[in-house]
Amino acid sequence: MSDQHSPRLPTTDPFDDDKLREECGIFGVTGVSDAANFVALGLHALQHRGQEAGGIVTYEPVDGFHSARRFGLVRDNFTRQDVIDGLPGPLGIGHVRYSTAGSKGATQIRDVQPFFGEFSMGGAAIAHNGNITNADALRRELIGMGSIFQSSSDSECIIHLMARSLQKSVPERMKDALRRVEGAFSVVAMTRTKLIGVRDPLGVRPLVIGRIGQEGWALSSETCALDIIGADFVREVEPGEMVVIENDALLSYRPFEHKKSRFCIFEHVYFSRPDSTLNGRSVYETRSAIGAELAKEAPVDADLVCPVPDSGTPAAIGYSQQSGIPYAMGIIRNQYMGRTFIEPTEQIRNMGVRLKLNVNRALIRGKRVILVDDSVVRGTTSRKIKEMILDAGAAEVHFRIASPPTAWPCFYGVDTPQREKLLAATMSEDEMREHLGVDSLKFISLDGLYRAVGEANGRDPKSPAYCDACFSGEYPVAPSDQIEKGFLLKAAE
Amino acid sequence: MSDQHSPRLPTTDPFDDDKLREECGIFGVTGVSDAANFVALGLHALQHRGQEAGGIVTYEPVDGFHSARRFGLVRDNFTRQDVIDGLPGPLGIGHVRYSTAGSKGATQIRDVQPFFGEFSMGGAAIAHNGNITNADALRRELIGMGSIFQSSSDSECIIHLMARSLQKSVPERMKDALRRVEGAFSVVAMTRTKLIGVRDPLGVRPLVIGRIGQEGWALSSETCALDIIGADFVREVEPGEMVVIENDALLSYRPFEHKKSRFCIFEHVYFSRPDSTLNGRSVYETRSAIGAELAKEAPVDADLVCPVPDSGTPAAIGYSQQSGIPYAMGIIRNQYMGRTFIEPTEQIRNMGVRLKLNVNRALIRGKRVILVDDSVVRGTTSRKIKEMILDAGAAEVHFRIASPPTAWPCFYGVDTPQREKLLAATMSEDEMREHLGVDSLKFISLDGLYRAVGEANGRDPKSPAYCDACFSGEYPVAPSDQIEKGFLLKAAE
Amino acid sequence: MSDQHSPRLPTTDPFDDDKLREECGIFGVTGVSDAANFVALGLHALQHRGQEAGGIVTYEPVDGFHSARRFGLVRDNFTRQDVIDGLPGPLGIGHVRYSTAGSKGATQIRDVQPFFGEFSMGGAAIAHNGNITNADALRRELIGMGSIFQSSSDSECIIHLMARSLQKSVPERMKDALRRVEGAFSVVAMTRTKLIGVRDPLGVRPLVIGRIGQEGWALSSETCALDIIGADFVREVEPGEMVVIENDALLSYRPFEHKKSRFCIFEHVYFSRPDSTLNGRSVYETRSAIGAELAKEAPVDADLVCPVPDSGTPAAIGYSQQSGIPYAMGIIRNQYMGRTFIEPTEQIRNMGVRLKLNVNRALIRGKRVILVDDSVVRGTTSRKIKEMILDAGAAEVHFRIASPPTAWPCFYGVDTPQREKLLAATMSEDEMREHLGVDSLKFISLDGLYRAVGEANGRDPKSPAYCDACFSGEYPVAPSDQIEKGFLLKAAE
Amino acid sequence: MSDQHSPRLPTTDPFDDDKLREECGIFGVTGVSDAANFVALGLHALQHRGQEAGGIVTYEPVDGFHSARRFGLVRDNFTRQDVIDGLPGPLGIGHVRYSTAGSKGATQIRDVQPFFGEFSMGGAAIAHNGNITNADALRRELIGMGSIFQSSSDSECIIHLMARSLQKSVPERMKDALRRVEGAFSVVAMTRTKLIGVRDPLGVRPLVIGRIGQEGWALSSETCALDIIGADFVREVEPGEMVVIENDALLSYRPFEHKKSRFCIFEHVYFSRPDSTLNGRSVYETRSAIGAELAKEAPVDADLVCPVPDSGTPAAIGYSQQSGIPYAMGIIRNQYMGRTFIEPTEQIRNMGVRLKLNVNRALIRGKRVILVDDSVVRGTTSRKIKEMILDAGAAEVHFRIASPPTAWPCFYGVDTPQREKLLAATMSEDEMREHLGVDSLKFISLDGLYRAVGEANGRDPKSPAYCDACFSGEYPVAPSDQIEKGFLLKAAE
């Protein structure tokens, strides 16, 4: 059902249309004087994980739970005194989102997390990063029993499963619920007194624990959001672990059957912020290492190494340092880019890309240029960038891509086009080079990528250390809703 | 839980604080090209029944159900092209509300009806006028079984009861649900193909049926909303009746045990618009008859009969015509009154009342004035008006009230103060006259009121034709949630 | 030049399109702690004189002059704490406007008064009610000398003439300026220390003086705005008088050549609020007297006298009392009427009028109805009302109009259609009756109107006591800009 | 006078408080089908020159001039269809601004350019980048003669001088006006048929000419705004030149006495976008050359060269390439930074800087870091950055600044703090190093900067090629208003 509560304006620009989209960032704090401010700051630092909407829930003893959910950026909503004043209390969680798996049309405010449910023993709110691969089946089952869904979000299943659990406490009900759920999930939840964090058994999505001074705790998708509030990084929530923080004590549970972890390798490539650390490694340094690995695998004689801003920057620096070819800002990004502009008629119809990016023409003219980008999804942006560079008089254009060809959709919380829209699903590397019209095109190998993220021996094909389904087509959790809808696994092709 | 979705501004003025408040107006249409426009017009005509918020749900086959819910007046929200464009389809229902019974604090957008639920066999939306007197008990029971409530509204119980019914069709599920519900309810509901109307067995709240041209149907709280869309009045939905309209046919059911009807007598006194008809009688003429009856019961020698605008006007005209004392507009209402003004400091602190009302000083000076008002609730406004009239130099002030003393709260969908705040609950008529400081004060008798509404023999104390609990303290349905909270029935006092 | 500063929404409803429009209300105070609040209240009470936009200027010694100008109603803009906080000081003036003579298209925010100018000896702000009939010529002259106009308003000429005066003080500069100006004007102005009020020599537009407690003063278009702030009415500013209030003293000047006054008679008929007094007479009582006069001049046998709400109400009461025919509310006005509704397609295209007005069908059916309205301008609304009444089953419809036929446009500050759009300019009374399709149609005579406003002998054709150009075509000040554009005076027709 | 027209929200972040601010960007086009879209795109590309507000004026023959002026970013205002639709025509100019010299308090919408004036022979609009150093004196003179100023902007003097000129054509009036004006100005203006561009005799601020296809022309502050609309760069408007474009012909005039040009050297250092060219040189390459020069002048043994993002980036790349020390992104900028956040109480009071910038902790730990920034103004940000870097565990911190010490305010269109707030005005380089608490601090020499911008022999002290008053205190135009207010020139200290 489409539902209009409040005006909603697009906040993302059309260029980013050619990127994979992390769907969510989650954050929670307890033991501070004013949780809402901390959560707002944390979500602001996680804004790259979702720009469409955000929400915060807090609890304080007098008036109970408080919630605010808004379309738009954290900075535009959760910096307002009136909004923050309506979110009192020492305990709170929050969520930023890009879009919900399963939603047919536009996102509605009721799809915006955290979700809240009142149970017999009290209320609970949850924020979910990931995707539940059996959500359709669960939803049918729950509706059949009389549950009323308010959103089109897969995540709402969790709160209904919790409402129907026969367990007495919220953490026990959450265990009940999450054992029914398949797929990838990192969850931050809260009751009146507890802050709870969980990661699925494979640990596909990140979740870390931080300490705020002597008394406060934080849970966050990434470490960069601990930095912004001055919290100290403690450790990651481990795959398959549930942590319950109450009265300043952290208790750890293992509610699921043990499995070997499969962290999302694309978090290293693109999703996480370069100033975060994953598994103790600086994301920036990993990306720089990917660039260096790429320079070894795919060298080319050229005058300049230029990043496609901003995501290709660390890999371009690594490529330049490994190859000795000078690094330069050949493409400049307009920092004020926002909503779509109304394009000025036929005269300049296809100029779109220059709204966001402009070539440093005087620098590029006559040069052989290596362009480093993080990934190629549909290829539409890559083509436009190539044209801009050639228009500016470049002698040669060489694309170097800091990830293997993206040939398979993600079903674990990332917004990917349908398989047939992925350039690498329908073309070989050579066909792609021709399609893009560049002098050369090289992707890093899957082994090369594994080496760059710290697996010295590359990928172990029998037991890969990461989820790399978008590159390999090997899905660590069967996407059962998708299969029901007709998706063919690699083996079945 | 407090929940912030969108900015919300007060739309009612503080003066009306001293009136009883009808909580809702409901409206539905089917068989028209653009239901949303019809519903918007209908709700606009019912705006006097609730100014805080409104909502519309429509259905069309391509994209399914559509919903828009907003704080503020119909004219400010549902006249916007973008809002109406988002509500396509030939079938729709709507709701305007004042405030929800049961809400502890400020109304949230999620409290705004219509409510929607998706069931195994398809979705349904409902709009409810009235109050469920066992809502607290039902809510506890439903939460205990795992239902998740989204609002603090008593009306949401109905949709959860429907979701859990084992019946196959929406109308059957609605019968199941409404048989569990106690209290007063007029309901307009819709499925993908059906428009449904129901009144509780006592028929406390109004609901009428209209015909739009040859093919369309409408359901409305009052006839004035049929007039605005050019629909023809067909008949009232009868107490205890459920009508189901589909494919241009209207089917009638009687799902409840038969009871003698008890329509709210205050609808005649104040709630309904003067251009509506109730039971075939013009509300305007009924009110004029009340004034005439009052002139017979409580005559007084005076120079002018003036209404307290605007609700006292028809009774004042009737009083004037019966008594022969000239009718005059002694008090003028500012038609641009809206939100609270910031008052200009100490200098004019208590001038508040003149923002909305001003005395026609030149007219009033030296005159003996009869002021006719529809009711006295707290008495605060009556005192201010008396002061204004005396300030203007009136020689005498006589209050004549077009209803008996309001001594008991309503639990059937009207917002009344707690019993101890009702002036007539703590004072005799004489004490009230002294408290208000007027030369005389007379209320119409309960028998007189019954005569004016058409009961030639007055009130039958054994089997009154109306619900008059607010005057008599005789509640036709035991208010069980209230009794649980400690409310003492008249018999128990 | 069209100029977009801020979003602007229509605030008046299309039905009032068939009324003459007073263009402005003006208000000023000095000697109070917080002038802006007083001015906001005063403008609110004068809102009927202009609903499109409003502005307030205040002065306090630290930061100087402050100004806020907004589209929309006073209650929606000048009740906001942030707006009022930005308008500190003990001295202030304000203005509400409908639309500016001379503006080709939509009003711009820069057309909204008060206007402000900085002169060598300090600044001044002015608010003007009326119309300058030689504004075009003055504007050409001033632009030729290098003045830069910011608005399309005729009133801006005054401030430019003041800026170019060689006098040393603001009051002297204002005298200089106003001596160059032809037409009708009531002006409220302020310097850093003075509150100034002026009326043109004929006193066409009203302006009154009030006292606030012991130390404050107010100037206002009408007395009803004194009532709202609890000020005492002192006297009217006399035609041709300038009052200068400073340090609690009021000085009176006579800057113009003496002329016999010609107050606008339509202020009695329609513009002023019924609770104001004009020349010591209650406007309500004058209108009631007009109705009584009309009953004498144009009696008819009928069952009911009904006003066209709300402006016809006092005259209908007078007609009823004189004729003995019962007064009744046959037409009910929707008090929540506002912006234009989107009309629901062909099915109910011409239903527009019912949005604002609805007939009390049960009351009207079979009755012979006298409808009393204040005036007929284009006649479009009268036709729709007649149709509504007949649709409801009235046996006969008789129109009685509380003013003579409006056959000439006003050039003194009232927005009238071009002459050829005025029904009475192209049709005789009999043709109008036929055009409207009613059983009878009668206007009060011009002599009858003069009698009702207190001229016992009716109108003195040699030296009429009022400006009645809209009825008589006799313009007391030659409309020179209009004549230059081709307007034919009555003598020239 | 403070004047409230519309809500205004801060759009710049508090961190940029420690930068010099270019006050304006100007842009104009003629000979295109829809000038407003072109101007909007051009202003978007010039947004770095002013983020507070923007305005566009267009002309088309039917309705004349059209204007829209708004607070906020171009992307938020001039991408809206309703705004663009209100700006029809083939000829238009626009302006983005930071803040106005001379304004005491907050900017008002009436301070937002372009300014418009109606003259006897038709209207004209102007947009001005720069600052008029005798504006106070001109304003006093003009007010004395009866001109009414609407804004507090120095630029408004130009239009009043034009209004009072006795010349017959707008270009001649503009020459008259600009000959009275002292200071720095690049002006884009328009009449109904002409697009006009002028630079002051010293050519302090930039202005370039572009060609749009075969028929259109553009004038722009920078070349990057030609790129965004696909225009070809033709040449710069020369210092002291006026160009008048009409009917596709460009005429060049030299209205001023010839002087040696003194272009603002800070445009090379910071103001212009890195993808613009100035005098045929890529700004990016110039900044990289400044970094290389700095590496030669001020080498230091270290592990990493990190830019202070984003303005220090090109110089850091140049420093790295010259020195051989690896370039790395040690500080990451949050790309979603916007309005001020509400800071979460005492616990994290001084964390502010991390909202915008975060250190790449894992990368920095234990390293000797060279930080390259474009300039030091107050030094407040430099201190915070140093602390962040040390907190992250850096072994050493060395600041290298790509401009000489900023010791003097700019009076030619750049917003600089008062002299005593400039760190370099009160401290030696050594004192600054100590104040900032870094291991070393070096600024490029003035000669080094001149070499990097292409003057092989460095600065000629007798006749410098640039305006470098902010570094040298040598003002090429005496700032007469400032001297009157007590500013002491270097010679007078």
Side-chain angles (χ1 to χ4, degrees), chain C residues 4-31:
Chain C
Q4 306 168 5
H5 287 304
S6 54
R8 188 159 60 89
L9 295 165
T11 52
T12 50
D13 73 87
F15 270 80
D16 291 339
D17 194 39
D18 199 20
K19 289 287 178 194
L20 297 187
R21 285 276 156 211
E22 175 66 29
E23 288 183 351
C24 304
I26 55 179
F27 194 84
V29 290
T30 186

Side-chain angles (χ1 to χ4, degrees), chain B residues 21 31-34 37-38 40-41 44-45 47-49 51 73-82 84 212 223-224 226-231 273-277 280-285 310 313-314 317 320-321 326-330 332-345 347-348 351 354-363 367, chain C residues 21 31-34 37-38 40-41 44-45 47-49 51 73-82 84 212 223-224 226-231 273-277 280-285 310 313-314 317 320-321 326-330 332-345 347-348 351 354-363 367:
Chain B
R21 285 278 156 209
V32 295
S33 54
D34 51 337
N37 273 319
F38 283 82
L41 287 164
H44 175 61
Q47 190 80 77
H48 59 290
R49 298 180 76 85
Q51 297 91 47
L73 299 179
V74 175
R75 71 171 189 219
D76 293 330
N77 290 311
F78 295 101
T79 53
R80 291 172 41 191
Q81 191 69 53
D82 60 327
I84 293 295
I212 307 167
T223 63
C224 64
L226 300 180
D227 293 344
I228 202 175
I229 59 164
R273 245 173 61 170
D275 50 338
S276 285
T277 59
R281 287 175 62 92
S282 152
V283 172
Y284 171 83
E285 286 183 283
D310 287 341
T313 300
I317 292 169
S320 163
Q321 281 163 358
Y327 170 84
M329 293 168 66
I332 302 292
R333 181 180 177 134
N334 183 335
Q335 62 170 310
Y336 298 102
M337 187 58 204
R339 277 190 236 159
T340 318
F341 266 74
I342 296 157
E343 293 202 0
T345 70
Q347 284 187 288
I348 39 174
M351 55 159 297
R354 299 199 196 168
L355 284 175
K356 183 177 158 189
L357 302 176
N358 192 25
V359 173
N360 214 324
R361 306 173 73 86
L363 178 72
K367 303 279 172 49
Chain C
R21 285 276 156 211
V32 296
S33 55
D34 50 340
N37 274 318
F38 282 82
L41 287 162
H44 175 60
Q47 189 81 77
H48 59 290
R49 300 180 74 87
Q51 297 91 47
L73 299 179
V74 174
R75 71 171 189 220
D76 293 330
N77 289 310
F78 295 100
T79 53
R80 292 171 41 192
Q81 191 69 53
D82 59 328
I84 293 296
I212 307 167
T223 64
C224 65
L226 300 181
D227 291 346
I228 202 174
I229 61 164
R273 248 174 61 169
D275 50 337
S276 285
T277 57
R281 286 174 64 93
S282 153
V283 172
Y284 170 83
E285 286 185 283
D310 288 342
T313 299
I317 292 170
S320 164
Q321 281 163 356
Y327 170 84
M329 291 167 67
I332 303 292
R333 180 182 179 132
N334 184 334
Q335 62 171 311
Y336 299 102
M337 187 57 204
R339 277 191 238 158
T340 318
F341 266 74
I342 295 156
E343 292 202 1
T345 70
Q347 285 188 289
I348 40 174
M351 55 159 298
R354 298 198 196 168
L355 285 174
K356 181 177 159 188
L357 302 177
N358 192 25
V359 173
N360 213 324
R361 306 173 73 85
L363 178 72
K367 302 280 174 49

Side-chain angles (χ1 to χ4, degrees), chain B residues 36 39 42 70 103 109 121 158 177 183 232 316 368 409 455:
Chain B
V39 177
R70 305 284 171 116
S103 174
I109 196 74
M121 87 297 284
I158 301 172
D232 296 315
R368 295 166 302 164
E455 302 288 309

Side-chain angles (χ1 to χ4, degrees), chain B residues 19 78 90-91 112 170 241 272 316 379 381 404 473:
Chain B
K19 290 288 178 194
F78 295 101
L91 175 54
V112 178
V170 169
E241 183 185 15
S272 290
T381 299

Side-chain angles (χ1 to χ4, degrees), chain D residues 234-263:
Chain D
V234 176
R235 66 171 175 88
E236 304 200 347
V237 174
E238 290 178 30
E241 184 185 13
M242 168 188 275
V243 295
V244 178
I245 303 169
E246 186 175 19
N247 296 331
D248 198 32
L250 182 149
L251 298 177
S252 170
Y253 302 91
R254 296 280 172 174
F256 310 107
E257 208 175 306
H258 179 72
K259 291 186 183 169
K260 183 165 182 300
S261 82
R262 299 290 295 272
F263 184 64

Side-chain angles (χ1 to χ4, degrees), chain A residues 13-22 98 266 269-271 308-312 333 356 372-382 385 401 406 414-417 422:
Chain A
D13 72 87
F15 270 81
D16 291 340
D17 194 40
D18 198 19
K19 290 288 177 193
L20 297 186
R21 285 278 156 211
E22 175 65 30
Y98 181 66
F266 218 89
V269 170
Y270 175 75
F271 297 141
V308 176
D310 287 343
S311 55
R333 180 181 179 134
K356 183 177 158 189
V372 182
D373 204 352
D374 62 283
S375 58
V376 170
V377 180
R378 288 182 174 86
T380 47
T381 299
S382 306
I385 287 170
I401 310 300
T406 306
V414 176
D415 183 36
T416 29
L422 294 169

